[in-house]
Amino acid sequence: MKIIIAGAGEVGFHLAKLLSYESQEITLIDTDRESLTYADNHLDIKVIKGDATSIAILKESRVEASDLFIGVTASETTNITACVLAKQLGTKRTIARISNTEFIKHKDEVGFTRFGIDELISPESLAASEIELLLNQSAFKDSYEFEDGALTMVSLTLSRTANFVGKTVKEAGQLFSEIHFVPIAIQRFGTQYTIIPRGDTEFREGDSVVFITSEGGDQELCKMTGKTNASIKDVMILGGSKIGFKTSRDLSASGFNVKLIENNKNSAFDLADELPKVLVINGDGRNVELLEEENISDMDAFISVTGNSETNIMSCLVAKSKGVRKTIALVENMDYFELSQSIGIDTLINKKLLAANNIFRYIRKGEVIAMTKLNNMNAELLEFKVKPTSKICNKLIKNVEFPRSAIVGGVIRNGEGLIALGGFKVKEGDYIVVCCLPRSIKEVEKLFL
């Protein structure tokens, strides 16, 4: 595919990096020479210095021959304008990064597709949604929903007391008469290798395991692993950034009791006016005395989303030392993801990764409905829609030649999530969630064309 990315900032560079690894033809446009020079020196891509809303610059990038135009500059006005122009000049599909979430809420009413924007994404909104989902699945490190929760991906680390440690996948499955969860990826403790489990794969203490669950599967997993999916009500958030604001607003609207700490006095007053259901505190969240005064030890969850990754990590560690059950830190440095398990923070989230995951499904072949990369694992989770022409259509899963490094996690049929084993027959219109290692993605895509 020929892909043009406008904006060489954090999200744009990260996207260009991921896509260039997949041998896509990438052109990166930005006005900042330094950002472009860095990208040019580190990635196998073409760079163009200039304004993405310039028709001359767009023509220089050969926009008329492009398959996808992605506007991810810091300015939503630039992104929207550039996408509209790119569409008029001949690109097949456009995606614009925006910060005003009202646009997403009313996109069908306004009709953005009519003037050339196929998809809108907001990294801040994605982060806020991810945080709320993690709080609702408090026993797990990571979580991702397909089709409004018909199927849910959850991950956890197996402790010595987990019922199925020492058992194979097949043996663990026999502990329940009905299966509402299936393991789809395992990373052994102390290694960087991702294993796609089979029936004879053994669970071991310290394994980081990703499961797909249908309704009730999360409770079964908690029972088998000795974890508690405890209800979270009292939440403290550090940082009144866009993510802090959106998370506070959404959580308070969902019935959570939220305290928001913001260091800047003027920002704190503005936030207090805009968030009537949230207790906004003006103070330095790095101050342990302030956190103790605000009863941090009584909180069920602590979320740190300041603009500084180190502050977020350190404040979450303080919260953990005070007995807070669930801690979530926003980080910009992807390398920190590998440390999350060893340093004791429950979950790290990254805006770049969330935005890239959301955009990546447009790169995949077949009708990809949703996609996420597994945190700290070398695997992707893809949701395909089965078409009448798909090779998998009207076949039993066990009769489909799936590569060894891929596995079906579940099927959504008529809105109901199902854990699909070998004897399940796939039908047209089914939504199938597949986990696969990068080397098998192309083979898997062919099954759904």
Side-chain angles (χ1 to χ4, degrees), residues 146-147 150-151 383 410-418 429-431:
F146 295 92
E147 304 302 316
L151 290 175
E383 180 189 359
V411 176
I412 300 167
R413 180 175 289 169
N414 301 323
E416 182 187 359
L418 305 165
D430 284 349
Y431 295 89

Side-chain angles (χ1 to χ4, degrees), residues 243-264:
I243 294 176
F245 169 76
K246 287 181 173 64
T247 303
S248 300
R249 183 192 63 193
D250 295 350
L251 290 180
S252 61
S254 298
F256 290 84
N257 302 320
V258 181
K259 284 185 181 181
L260 175 61
I261 301 175
E262 169 54 43
N263 199 19
N264 182 287

Side-chain angles (χ1 to χ4, degrees), residues 62-357:
R62 293 184 58 242
V63 70
E64 75 284 352
S66 66
D67 299 294
L68 180 63
F69 182 93
I70 306 168
V72 285
T73 73
S75 163
E76 74 179 0
T77 307
T78 299
N79 297 336
I80 289 170
T81 306
C83 283
V84 170
L85 291 172
K87 193 74 167 189
Q88 295 304 315
L89 291 170
T91 193
K92 290 176 185 170
R93 182 181 280 275
T94 60
I95 302 172
R97 173 190 179 176
I98 51 103
S99 53
N100 184 350
T101 51
E102 274 192 330
F103 290 159
I104 294 176
K105 190 178 178 182
H106 300 289
K107 68 177 182 180
D108 294 330
E109 187 182 335
V110 174
F112 281 94
T113 50
R114 286 202 300 271
F115 37 85
I117 302 171
D118 296 303
E119 194 65 44
L120 298 168
I121 62 158
S122 163
E124 294 81 13
S125 184
L126 290 170
S129 299
E130 176 87 348
I131 289 168
E132 186 168 0
L133 181 57
L134 287 164
L135 294 185
N136 288 324
Q137 294 282 1
S138 63
F140 305 106
K141 292 190 300 178
D142 293 301
S143 196
Y144 186 88
E145 287 187 342
F146 295 92
E147 304 302 316
D148 297 323
L151 290 175
T152 304
M153 177 276 284
V154 295
S155 77
L156 48 77
T157 302
L158 296 184
S159 62
R160 187 168 42 82
T161 55
N163 283 5
F164 45 76
V165 164
K167 290 184 170 65
T168 64
V169 171
K170 188 175 181 180
E171 289 167 345
Q174 290 167 351
L175 295 174
F176 284 94
S177 56
E178 281 189 61
I179 299 292
H180 297 107
F181 62 88
V182 64
I184 55 167
I186 298 175
Q187 187 170 302
R188 299 287 188 211
F189 179 73
T191 74
Q192 293 299 310
Y193 299 110
T194 302
I195 300 167
I196 299 297
R198 297 291 164 189
D200 58 354
T201 305
E202 185 183 312
F203 292 108
R204 297 178 189 169
E205 181 185 349
D207 280 353
S208 187
V209 188
V210 180
F211 294 90
I212 289 289
T213 68
S214 58
E215 189 178 349
D218 53 344
Q219 298 305 319
E220 288 176 4
L221 273 175
C222 286
K223 192 186 295 183
M224 291 188 73
T225 56
K227 296 186 182 292
T228 307
N229 213 358
S231 174
I232 287 180
K233 290 302 289 180
D234 299 313
V235 180
M236 184 178 284
I237 298 173
L238 178 59
S241 59
K242 285 178 182 175
I243 294 176
F245 169 76
K246 287 181 173 64
T247 303
S248 300
R249 183 192 63 193
D250 295 350
L251 290 180
S252 61
S254 298
F256 290 84
N257 302 320
V258 181
K259 284 185 181 181
L260 175 61
I261 301 175
E262 169 54 43
N263 199 19
N264 182 287
K265 190 175 182 180
N266 292 333
S267 297
F269 276 109
D270 290 341
L271 288 164
D273 288 338
E274 292 185 66
L275 299 167
K277 294 182 180 178
V278 176
L279 176 59
V280 180
I281 298 150
N282 175 221
D284 188 346
R286 295 171 297 183
N287 185 329
V288 178
E289 286 183 10
L290 172 67
L291 295 177
E292 287 178 337
E293 281 174 21
E294 295 303 329
N295 303 316
I296 188 170
S297 56
D298 295 336
M299 294 293 129
D300 298 316
F302 182 89
I303 302 160
S304 192
V305 287
T306 73
N308 185 292
S309 299
E310 288 74 20
T311 296
N312 296 339
I313 288 171
M314 292 309 296
S315 57
C316 279
L317 290 176
V318 169
K320 207 69 179 171
S321 72
K322 300 295 179 185
V324 178
R325 285 203 312 273
K326 187 80 171 178
T327 53
I328 301 171
L330 176 73
V331 296
E332 294 304 323
N333 190 333
M334 300 292 289
D335 296 332
Y336 287 149
F337 272 84
E338 294 178 17
L339 300 173
S340 62
Q341 199 174 323
S342 57
I343 62 180
I345 295 172
D346 294 309
T347 308
L348 301 180
I349 58 172
N350 179 285
K351 287 189 298 182
K352 294 180 287 191
L353 199 58
L354 291 169
N357 284 348

